[in-house]
Amino acid sequence: MSEAANRTLLRNANIVLPTEIRQGSVLIEKGIILEVDAGSTVQADEVIDCTGLHLMPGVIDDQVHFREPGLTHKEDLESASRACAAGGVTGFLEMPNTKPPAITMEGIQAKEEIAAKKSCVNYGFYIGATPENAPELAKATNVPGIKIFIGSSTGNLLVDEQAALERIFAETTLPICAHCEDETTVRQNAERLAGTTDIADHSRIRDERAAMIATKRATDLAKRHKHRFHVLHVSTAAELEFLAEPSPYLTSEICLHHIFFNVEDYPRLGSRIQMNPSIKTKADNEGLWKALLDGTIQVIATDHAPHTLEEKSLPYPQSPSGLPAVENSLALMLNRAVTGECTLPQIASWMSDAPARIWGIIGKGRIENGYDADLVLVDLEKQKTIYDEEQHTKSRWSPWHGETLTGWPVCTLVGGKEVWSSERGFDDQFRGSKLRFDHQRGGFWATPDGIGTAD
Ligand code: DOR
């Protein structure tokens, strides 16, 4: 697609709207969706024939770890954003556990400057909580929200003292999200299993109880303080108990590995599926999937957390936790749509619309007049096998190596510009923009039917 195109017509697509799929043509002008129902003969500088393809809103992944600054031997904002574009992800919200961690607005701005130079998709960066930085968190603006590690993971960010948590919930206004694993329980389990080299013990150390205690604690804090709170990567069906009742303050998400993998996969995949929170049981996979379908959980993210294969091959527990996923997440879900397990509008809700609404991202997440043309064309007939060596992530591997999926993104547009296509590759010059947030217009809450809005 040429740089100069003012008006682009995506002709004859199957357009994935919030509640239906409609055949038609979408007219884009200056990066904005001008007309969802444009005629197929409307004048445009450029016409893209979408016959046989589905047009979806670009994925917004609200939980990724892209490693820059400081850990760029694993990933950086260029390699990660290219992986995003090739996976149909047009925007990401990145976590603060870089080196140094992003715990001040200066730290956030430093990341934004790197992203402006290196990221081919749109970006936003969470500010990380520490036991002492509530005043800094209270001042923060133009970020998606505050990230708390209630249980420790990669890096040294941890806030598990009740007084510090109460202070953060009481003294800040930005939405909060948290990694919920109870540090005391994890440490006790680790002591009990000290000396183990069995990777399966990872799920015994970071067990269901650890997840439940922390999720209960965090959701209690949110309700008491009436503070918007998003539970990251729910890993157990047991935690659903704290999310089932609709609340104006609570939303939650699952990550793909928690519905695709379980402890029976350790013999086959070893540390490739070593994650925090740990992967759990088959019953948890099924319970979490059901919770997505019934609206108890609203968002799918990846927790893309690359480590090199060399690091991953260290014996447990020296092997680090985390796996890359951003370039396969949409395809994994499209494959589920192809097999009839869910619909494309549901996927668009879980992966685009709900994250945009929860984090108050302006102009994103839907195919609707006036929205930004961050879009992905997908081919539901395309079959492709995932191979480590073909991954765009700098870590060059995937826990889904060897799996063949049907349904793949074939072209990704950011602000109406093609940044990647399976035929033409990447536009090496294009750079994405900083996402804009409007938390006043938030007011989203979980209902049995999905997400409600204040309007
Ligand atoms: O397994 C994990 N690894 N979980 C996280 O939440 C963080 C991540 C990382 O940054 O490596």
Side-chain angles (χ1 to χ4, degrees):
M1 190 182 299
S2 83
E3 273 283 314
N6 233 347
R7 279 187 155 210
T8 302
L9 185 69
L10 303 175
R11 181 182 281 161
N12 205 16
N14 298 300
I15 308 164
V16 179
L17 300 170
T19 54
E20 60 168 329
I21 300 175
R22 196 188 302 163
Q23 224 197 18
S25 302
V26 172
L27 183 64
I28 300 168
E29 187 177 79
K30 295 190 180 142
I32 310 282
I33 299 172
L34 192 65
E35 186 65 70
V36 174
D37 265 327
S40 61
T41 54
V42 77
Q43 283 294 316
D45 306 294
E46 182 164 38
V47 176
I48 301 181
D49 179 24
C50 304
T51 309
L53 301 176
H54 284 75
L55 183 68
M56 300 184 68
V59 171
I60 299 170
D61 192 331
D62 83 352
Q63 192 189 176
V64 300
H65 303 264
F66 283 171
R67 310 305 193 198
E68 188 164 8
L71 298 161
T72 52
H73 67 287
K74 298 175 197 274
E75 191 77 284
D76 63 43
L77 289 171
E78 183 173 352
S79 56
S81 67
R82 285 165 80 92
C84 283
V89 178
T90 54
F92 63 81
L93 304 181
E94 208 252 359
M95 289 296 165
N97 59 335
T98 41
K99 215 171 162 184
I103 52 174
T104 60
M105 276 317 286
E106 289 74 36
I108 299 285
Q109 278 145 15
K111 281 190 175 188
E112 288 170 352
E113 278 166 28
I114 303 169
K117 293 195 189 102
K118 295 173 82 169
S119 177
C120 65
V121 299
N122 300 327
Y123 47 85
F125 297 96
Y126 292 97
I127 186 162
T130 73
E132 298 86 28
N133 78 341
E136 185 73 24
L137 301 176
K139 285 192 312 218
T141 51
N142 295 321
V143 294
I146 296 165
K147 163 72 182 280
I148 310 179
F149 283 89
I150 294 180
S152 59
S153 191
T154 302
N156 56 6
L157 288 175
L158 175 67
V159 186
D160 72 334
E161 300 240 323
Q162 193 64 21
L165 288 169
E166 298 281 355
R167 192 160 176 218
I168 294 168
F169 275 82
E171 295 178 11
T172 67
T173 54
L174 285 171
I176 296 175
C177 61
H179 179 125
C180 297
E181 284 184 297
D182 181 55
E183 191 66 13
T184 308
T185 308
V186 170
R187 284 186 191 165
Q188 282 166 354
N189 288 340
E191 258 167 49
R192 191 166 43 81
L193 291 163
T196 181
T197 54
D198 179 0
I199 184 72
D201 281 337
H202 192 65
S203 294
R204 297 185 187 104
I205 292 170
R206 290 178 177 267
D207 62 359
E208 178 186 270
R209 216 172 137 257
M212 277 190 77
I213 292 173
T215 297
K216 179 172 190 319
R217 192 176 175 205
T219 51
D220 280 352
L221 275 158
K223 286 186 203 161
R224 271 194 290 110
H225 289 276
K226 300 190 182 344
H227 199 125
R228 278 280 304 113
F229 180 66
H230 183 68
V231 186
L232 298 164
H233 42 36
V234 178
S235 65
T236 69
E239 286 160 274
L240 298 171
E241 179 189 335
F242 311 117
L243 303 169
E245 194 185 322
S247 158
Y249 306 111
L250 296 181
T251 51
S252 57
E253 82 186 23
I254 57 104
C255 291
L256 293 163
H257 46 274
H258 289 128
I259 52 172
F260 280 85
F261 299 125
N262 59 63
V263 289
E264 291 165 34
D265 294 310
Y266 277 129
R268 184 170 63 90
L269 293 167
S271 67
R272 282 188 177 223
I273 54 167
Q274 180 189 329
M275 281 301 290
N276 305 335
S278 68
I279 56 133
K280 304 291 193 309
T281 66
K282 196 154 188 287
D284 291 303
N285 298 154
E286 288 162 5
L288 294 174
W289 179 246
K290 206 171 139 276
L292 258 184
L293 292 173
D294 72 18
T296 306
I297 291 180
Q298 299 81 29
V299 173
I300 296 180
T302 62
D303 199 9
H304 178 97
H307 299 280
T308 66
L309 273 181
E310 205 183 351
E311 292 163 337
K312 282 297 241 183
S313 62
L314 290 168
Y316 185 76
Q318 285 99 284
S319 46
S321 297
L323 56 79
V326 85
E327 63 204 280
N328 298 309
S329 57
L330 180 58
L332 286 158
M333 293 307 301
L334 293 175
N335 190 71
R336 285 210 166 181
V338 168
T339 54
E341 292 162 89
C342 60
T343 66
L344 295 181
Q346 281 175 315
I347 296 175
S349 171
W350 297 327
M351 301 182 85
S352 304
D353 193 33
R357 293 164 76 191
I358 286 170
W359 298 109
I361 305 175
I362 299 171
K364 308 289 183 191
R366 282 183 185 201
I367 302 181
E368 199 170 293
N369 294 353
Y371 274 60
D372 295 342
D374 291 355
L375 301 165
V376 55
L377 278 166
V378 306
D379 180 351
L380 292 185
E381 286 176 10
K382 180 169 176 166
Q383 263 201 356
K384 195 163 78 99
T385 304
I386 297 171
Y387 292 115
D388 284 350
E389 49 284 8
E390 290 178 9
Q391 301 303 295
H392 295 93
T393 166
K394 201 185 262 190
S395 62
R396 287 276 184 276
W397 65 275
S398 164
W400 288 279
H401 170 76
E403 289 202 25
T404 302
L405 305 175
T406 306
W408 281 90
V410 292
C411 180
T412 303
L413 285 79
V414 176
K417 300 265 181 352
E418 178 186 298
V419 289
W420 169 85
S421 101
S422 54
E423 278 177 27
R424 291 171 291 279
F426 292 94
D427 177 341
D428 292 327
Q429 308 306 318
F430 184 83
R431 292 293 170 260
S433 307
K434 177 171 147 56
L435 293 164
R436 291 173 307 129
F437 305 94
D438 178 355
H439 297 301
Q440 301 311 317
R441 282 181 53 216
F444 305 113
W445 65 90
T447 72
D449 303 323
I451 297 183
T453 72
D455 307 323

